[in-house]
């Protein structure tokens, strides 16, 4: 679509300048005269939340060092040539419903550091077997018009949320257990959202398109769709589609981390990769350490340095289901039956609301459904940097029981083939990642759980434990900022931003 990539927007592997790996200096701070003696802040982990915390504190004048265990920075925002030369795949995040309008990202000059959000014509299409589809468009009115008999119901439910999304984002993307700044607006989300998604799709909507659209978004929670609050999670994804959109990052989601890192460097912060922190003794001298790690991992690293009750609740956090991911290099665009699907960033594949609810319930029971709910993203349709001319990449995953060892490639491809006959004939190569592979790649994904801990029970509001100070650990020198804290998973940087604000405010530990 006329997009010319900036020449300096390259993949992380090519950006060693951003990450001083300190070859042969695993304990670099102990042996070099070129390193500073003490840091105000050390951040462990360079995912979007770690980098957001680092940027916030560096901007507040603190000296900041980020330590990353992986060879490349970025955590969930990396882009790599996973299949064939010339094909660039997002390793984790691909589409960013909460990233484009993130209150944290929006306040920083990330564009100057190479981040450019690209929008598809349509954020999301959810095709059904008869060729019809639930279509989530940028325009609320056009979305409602496309939902026929459910148009008025959709407008009544979504209109107030969409209109008030900036205020809602402030409430929804902060710590949940606090006095809300916009109680009336939040109550709207609460009232509509507390109802289980199955009930809304069955009783509130009449058409299968509207029901499926809601159910597919609710399934991002990894919860059975008959649980309270699953509708709230769906609405919190759908409302920004009508405001800031569901953008992808030009060049790949690695551009998000590259921009955060570029800004961090401008502010004087530094990063070292290939540096896994296993104990607090691995840290250079510092005043405050902020962990972009899984809560249970922090409990193990910090040991007796944090109070026993906190350690136990971190270590005992329930895991969410896992994911099984496939990336494809394709000989051309996916041959969707539904014409709108060609224009969408994301395509939800799983049929009706009832079918999706059944598949997700199976996963939570510890079984792999025959026909899983599949989330697919097609960045190459608006970003020519992702694949050679005329070719395409496709990104997709389904939910599986935590730690599942079953190969889901066939089941995922069958779901795509169901809505895009001929898809398999286009496959040039594929890269498959099991839950085990995901955990090996990033310790924040134990058993393939990409949610930072289950949202079941109080998991949505009591992250990582029941406390008004979710980023604190009981030790004023140790803080948590990963997706294990509010508002949870997704690329928005708000866990890191909130944690850094708590550090700056000196919130009681
Ligand atoms: C397959 C998949 C698809 C996804 N799709 C999307 C999507 O489309 N849109 C979206 O918004 N979100 C998506 N997500 C979720 C999103 O990527 C995460 O929620 C987000 O990256 C979490 O950010 P974080 O900073 O908390 O942690 P992470 O991004 O996981 O980063 C944590 C970093 O810390 C490092 N680390 C951990 N422990 C240590 C240690 N002890 N020492 C040193 N370093 C350590 C890790 O190596 C990693 O780099 C997806 C995730 C996955 C896995």
């Amino acid at each position: 679509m006329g997009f010319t990539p900036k020449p300096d927007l390259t993949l992380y592997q090519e950006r060693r300048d951003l990450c001083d790996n300190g070859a042969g200096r695993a304990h670099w701070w102990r042996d070099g005269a070129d390193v500073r003696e003490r840091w105000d802040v050390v951040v462990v982990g360079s995912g979007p939340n770690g980098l957001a915390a680092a940027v916030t504190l560096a901007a507040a004048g603190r000296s900041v060092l980020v330590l990353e265990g992986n060879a490349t920075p970025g955590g969930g925002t990396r882009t790599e040539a996973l299949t064939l030369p010339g094909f660039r795949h997002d390793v984790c995040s691909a589409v960013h419903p909460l990233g484009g309008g993130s209150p944290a990202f929006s306040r920083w000059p990330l564009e100057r550091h190479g981040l450019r959000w690209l929008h598809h014509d349509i954020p999301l299409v959810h095709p059904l077997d008869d060729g019809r589809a639930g279509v989530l468009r940028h325009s609320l009115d056009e979305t409602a018009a496309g939902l026929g008999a459910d148009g008025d119901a959709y407008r009544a439910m979504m209109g107030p949320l969409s209109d008030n999304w900036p205020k809602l984002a402030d409430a929804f993307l902060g710590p949940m257990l606090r006095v809300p700044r916009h109680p009336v607006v939040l109550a709207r989300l609460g009232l509509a959202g507390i109802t289980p998604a199955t009930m809304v799709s069955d009783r509130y909507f009449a058409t299968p398109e509207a029901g499926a659209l809601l159910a597919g978004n609710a399934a991002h929670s990894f919860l059975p769709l008959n649980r309270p609050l699953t509708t709230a999670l769906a609405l919190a994804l759908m409302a920004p589609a009508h405001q800031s959109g569901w953008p992808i990052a030009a060049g790949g989601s690695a551009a998000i981390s590259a921009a955060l890192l570029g800004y961090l460097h401008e502010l004087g912060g530094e990063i070292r990769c290939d540096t896994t922190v296993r104990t607090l003794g691995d840290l250079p001298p510092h005043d405050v350490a902020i962990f972009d790690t899984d809560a249970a991992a922090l409990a193990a690293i910090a040991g007796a340095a944090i109070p026993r009750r906190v350690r136990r609740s971190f270590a005992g956090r329930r895991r969410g289901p896992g994911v099984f991911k496939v990336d494809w290099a394709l000989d051309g665009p996916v041959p969707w039956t539904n014409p709108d699907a060609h224009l969408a960033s994301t395509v939800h594949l799983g049929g009706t609301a009832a079918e999706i609810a059944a598949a997700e319930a199976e996963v939570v029971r510890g079984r792999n459904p025959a026909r899983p709910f599949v989330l697919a993203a097609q960045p190459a349709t608006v970003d020519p940097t992702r694949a050679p001319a005329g070719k395409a990449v496709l990104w997709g995953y389904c939910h599986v029981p935590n730690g599942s060892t079953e190969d889901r490639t066939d089941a995922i491809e069958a779901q795509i083939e169901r809505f895009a006959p001929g898809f398999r004939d286009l496959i040039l190569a594929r890269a498959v990642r099991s839950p085990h592979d995901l955990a090996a790649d990033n310790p924040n994904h134990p058993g393939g759980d990409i949610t930072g801990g289950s949202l079941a029970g109080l998991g949505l509001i009591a992250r990582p434990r029941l406390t008004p100070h979710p980023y604190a650990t009981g030790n004023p020198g140790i803080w948590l900022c990963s997706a294990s804290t509010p508002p949870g998973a997704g690329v928005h940087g708000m866990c890191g931003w909130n944690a850094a604000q708590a550090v700056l405010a000196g919130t009681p530990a």
Side-chain angles (χ1 to χ4, degrees):
M1 293 208 155
F3 164 62
T4 311
K6 286 181 66 157
D8 62 345
L9 188 62
T10 46
L11 296 184
Y12 268 132
Q13 298 95 305
E14 299 147 25
R15 303 238 20 201
R16 306 305 280 187
D17 57 311
L18 286 178
C19 194
D20 174 359
N21 284 311
R25 291 195 300 166
H27 296 282
W28 56 273
W29 52 87
R30 288 186 193 141
D31 58 23
D34 58 330
V35 292
R36 57 186 303 137
E37 303 228 316
R38 188 173 187 87
W39 300 85
D40 294 333
V41 180
V42 173
V43 176
V44 178
S46 68
N49 288 315
L51 293 178
V55 163
T56 308
L57 290 161
R62 307 299 191 271
S63 62
V64 179
L65 172 70
V66 179
L67 300 178
E68 169 56 52
N70 212 314
T72 50
T77 44
R78 284 173 294 147
T79 306
E80 295 178 5
L82 298 175
T83 55
L84 300 173
F87 291 84
R88 294 177 163 193
H89 303 273
D90 285 328
V91 176
C92 302
S93 85
V95 180
H96 304 96
L98 299 174
S102 157
F105 294 169
S106 304
R107 71 182 64 225
W108 299 323
L110 300 183
E111 267 192 26
R112 182 151 54 75
H113 291 280
L115 177 60
R116 194 147 80 91
W117 294 118
L118 296 179
H119 293 269
H120 288 69
D121 288 348
I122 298 175
L124 168 69
V125 169
H126 188 129
L128 298 170
D129 285 319
D130 60 6
R132 289 184 294 171
V135 182
L136 181 66
R137 298 180 186 275
H138 292 295
S139 155
L140 187 139
D141 286 337
E142 286 175 20
T143 303
L147 293 175
D150 280 325
D152 287 345
Y154 182 82
R155 199 180 283 101
M157 174 182 275
M158 191 56 75
L161 302 179
S162 162
D163 292 347
N164 287 297
W165 178 245
K167 288 182 191 164
L168 259 175
D170 176 69
F172 189 76
L173 299 178
M176 292 280 170
L177 295 177
R178 62 171 175 166
V179 179
R181 260 190 282 175
H182 307 288
V184 177
V185 180
L186 195 61
R188 277 186 187 275
L189 178 67
L191 286 175
I194 194 121
T195 320
T198 41
M199 203 177 277
V200 176
S201 50
D202 283 358
R203 300 196 191 155
Y204 186 75
F205 290 131
T207 65
E209 295 97 307
L213 204 52
L214 184 91
N217 280 284
H220 283 248
S221 67
F222 289 76
L223 293 173
L225 303 192
N226 59 1
R227 295 282 167 84
L229 288 175
T230 42
T231 298
L233 288 159
L235 298 178
L237 285 177
M238 295 165 79
H242 301 309
Q243 292 285 342
S244 44
W246 284 23
I248 64 163
S253 73
I256 302 169
S257 323
L260 288 165
L261 272 172
Y263 187 41
L264 180 65
H265 280 227
E266 182 183 314
L267 295 167
E270 294 183 32
I271 181 168
R272 301 285 184 279
C273 291
D274 286 324
T275 308
T276 297
V277 172
R278 294 189 176 84
T279 72
L280 295 180
D282 292 337
L283 300 176
H286 63 278
D287 291 337
V288 167
I290 307 183
F291 287 82
D292 185 18
T293 63
D294 177 62
L298 173 55
I301 291 168
I306 57 177
R308 192 158 173 260
R309 70 190 151 75
V310 177
R311 211 163 64 231
R312 286 178 71 165
S313 59
F314 282 7
R317 274 185 60 73
R318 201 192 309 184
R319 302 264 180 246
V323 309
F324 188 101
K325 180 169 185 269
V326 187
D327 287 280
W328 295 269
L330 299 176
D331 205 12
V334 181
W336 304 111
T337 307
N338 182 282
D340 284 329
H342 295 272
L343 305 174
S345 70
T346 304
V347 185
H348 281 167
L349 304 161
T352 61
E355 204 183 320
I356 296 165
E360 293 301 289
E362 280 285 281
V363 171
V364 172
R365 279 188 215 109
R367 295 193 290 256
N368 278 306
R371 298 218 283 190
F373 171 59
V374 173
L375 301 89
Q378 40 187 11
T381 53
V382 296
D383 184 353
T385 67
R386 306 299 185 95
K391 314 289 184 205
V393 291
L394 187 71
W395 163 114
Y397 70 79
C398 73
H399 300 163
V400 296
N402 190 283
S404 167
T405 53
E406 192 176 320
D407 186 344
R408 301 298 286 154
T409 311
D410 273 353
I412 291 175
E413 289 183 355
Q415 285 288 60
I416 301 172
E417 187 78 26
R418 175 177 164 193
F419 299 100
F423 163 73
R424 281 193 167 115
D425 300 336
L426 295 175
I427 299 174
L428 300 173
R430 62 170 79 75
V432 172
R433 288 198 168 195
S434 68
H436 174 81
D437 300 326
L438 286 166
D441 174 63
N442 181 345
N444 287 25
H445 300 148
D449 172 12
I450 67 168
T451 57
S454 169
L455 300 184
L458 290 178
L460 175 63
I461 51 173
R463 299 176 75 75
R465 62 197 175 100
L466 196 60
T467 168
H469 305 297
Y471 311 98
T473 65
N475 179 331
I478 302 176
W479 300 75
L480 182 63
C481 75
S482 69
S484 293
T485 62
V491 172
H492 40 63
M494 291 304 293
C495 310
W497 160 262
N498 294 331
Q501 294 304 319
V503 170
L504 289 171
T507 302

